């Protein structure tokens, strides 16, 4: 019960990884507050991460109901293929708004409520693609790289608080679920494309959503109390090579 009585807000909670994270948070004794876009399942809070007013309203609701926040998982994100020439500027702006602005706004507006916790922790979901580039991932690479370094700045300003507000980034590589399915669906031979993805991973398979979720629980918990500003890979060894 590493997260006994912890109140944790998860964005994009109705997606593949969000659902697994909420389940793992609850299995560890915490209370997961599920947020997502309107019309995406039945979230506890409708929160479009690109909208400043949604963040303010979400924080007011959590303050009224719980009085504090122990954890924030900035998980909402979108993938988009395209090299720098192919990517329309409007698509660049959309991806940056969700993946980068959304994480900035989350960290900014959650800080005061996190400051009321005894052991506050922010976990930002970046990607292996936030560390290494790909020719056809211009906007995604840039947005996830932004999450990686923003997390370090937040960790350093959070370290000045009492108690410190920790902040770390998580970097998964291809995880089973909608995002990877959508990536291979557009290819001429989806089966071959999936096999190619798997072959890139030294462990020889895609990751399971639970493997990312378990890392998130660890970073939210006091078991990682001296870990802040770090980037945690959940990538089957992809970046090691
Ligand atoms: N699945 C992977 O292989 C993989 C690998 C590396 C990183 N990631 C990252 O993990 C996170 C979760 O990915 P996933 O695989 O669960 O994807 P997913 O598509 O299953 O879920 C993403 C969720 O984000 C929500 N969302 C989209 N725009 C939003 C907005 N403006 N405001 C609030 N919510 C919004 C969607 O409604 C959805 O529920 C993303 O940040 C993604 O970039 C995923």
């Amino acid at each position: 019960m590493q997260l006994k009585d912890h109140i944790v807000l998860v964005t994009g909670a109705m997606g593949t990884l969000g659902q697994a994270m909420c389940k793992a948070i609850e299995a560890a004794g915490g209370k997961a507050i599920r947020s997502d876009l309107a019309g995406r399942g039945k979230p506890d809070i409708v929160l479009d991460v690109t909208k400043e007013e949604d963040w303010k309203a979400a924080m007011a609701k959590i303050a009224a109901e719980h009085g504090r926040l122990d954890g924030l998982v900035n998980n909402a994100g979108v993938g988009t293929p395209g090299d720098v020439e192919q990517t329309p500027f409007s698509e660049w702006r959309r991806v940056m708004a969700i993946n980068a602005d959304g994480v900035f706004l989350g960290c900014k507006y959650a800080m005061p409520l996190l400051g009321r916790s005894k052991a506050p922790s922010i976990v930002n979901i970046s990607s292996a693609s936030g560390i290494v580039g790909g020719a056809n991932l211009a906007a995604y690479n840039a947005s996830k790289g932004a999450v990686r370094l923003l997390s370090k700045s937040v960790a350093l300003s959070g370290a000045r608080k009492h108690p410190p507000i920790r902040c770390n980034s998580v970097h998964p590589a291809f995880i089973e679920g909608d995002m990877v399915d959508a990536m291979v669906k557009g290819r001429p031979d989806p089966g071959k494309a999936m096999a190619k993805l798997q072959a890139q991973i030294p462990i020889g398979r895609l990751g399971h959503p639970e493997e990312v979720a378990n890392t998130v629980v660890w970073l939210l918990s006091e078991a990682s109390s001296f870990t802040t500003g770090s980037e945690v890979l959940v990538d089957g060894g992809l970046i090691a090579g």
Side-chain angles (χ1 to χ4, degrees):
M1 303 301 270
Q2 288 185 87
L3 296 179
K4 195 172 178 313
D5 300 328
H6 279 229
I7 312 287
V8 183
L9 174 64
V10 180
T11 66
M14 312 314 278
T16 305
L17 293 187
Q19 286 184 40
M21 288 169 193
C22 291
K23 220 168 133 187
I25 289 164
E26 286 166 351
K31 156 94 187 138
I33 303 173
R34 292 165 170 78
S35 72
D36 210 307
L37 294 172
R40 180 91 165 123
K42 287 204 174 82
D44 301 313
I45 296 182
V46 170
L47 168 57
D48 178 337
V49 296
T50 67
K51 294 198 171 138
E52 210 168 353
E53 56 279 20
D54 280 15
W55 277 107
K56 289 181 188 166
M59 291 306 132
K61 188 170 191 291
I62 295 168
E65 286 175 12
H66 302 287
R68 67 170 204 284
L69 190 61
D70 301 301
L72 168 66
V73 187
N74 283 308
N75 165 67
V78 288
T80 195
D83 69 22
V84 68
E85 289 173 282
Q86 292 159 341
T87 304
F89 186 41
S90 57
E91 183 62 1
W92 162 273
R93 296 291 291 265
R94 186 183 78 90
V95 172
M96 293 302 279
I98 299 170
N99 293 4
D101 297 2
V103 175
F104 164 77
L105 290 171
C107 294
K108 178 177 174 65
Y109 284 107
M111 278 286 195
L113 265 192
L114 286 164
R116 295 191 205 163
S117 167
K118 284 190 200 128
S121 173
I122 300 174
V123 181
N124 292 331
I125 307 302
S126 175
S127 171
S129 302
I131 298 179
V132 292
N136 68 336
L137 287 174
Y140 192 68
N141 279 153
S143 68
K144 291 300 188 179
V147 171
R148 173 176 171 262
L149 219 54
L150 169 65
S151 301
K152 296 185 195 306
S153 175
V154 172
L156 294 173
S157 62
R160 296 178 176 170
K161 312 245 182 211
H162 304 283
I165 299 177
R166 294 185 299 114
C167 180
N168 294 284
S169 56
V170 173
H171 301 260
F174 319 124
I175 306 297
E176 289 164 346
D178 293 351
M179 198 175 260
V180 169
D181 289 349
M183 266 171 71
V184 297
K185 219 164 81 185
R187 307 279 166 86
D189 184 343
K192 206 168 149 193
M194 184 65 94
K196 209 171 143 195
L197 286 187
Q198 284 169 352
Q200 284 178 47
I201 301 194
I203 278 182
R205 62 167 174 84
L206 300 189
H208 305 307
E210 298 72 31
E211 292 172 315
V212 179
N214 291 339
T215 302
V216 168
V217 166
W218 175 69
L219 287 171
L220 289 168
S221 78
E222 280 294 272
S224 62
S225 51
F226 203 51
T227 299
T228 194
S230 77
E231 41 199 73
V232 181
L233 294 161
V234 187
D235 71 342
L238 182 69
I239 304 296

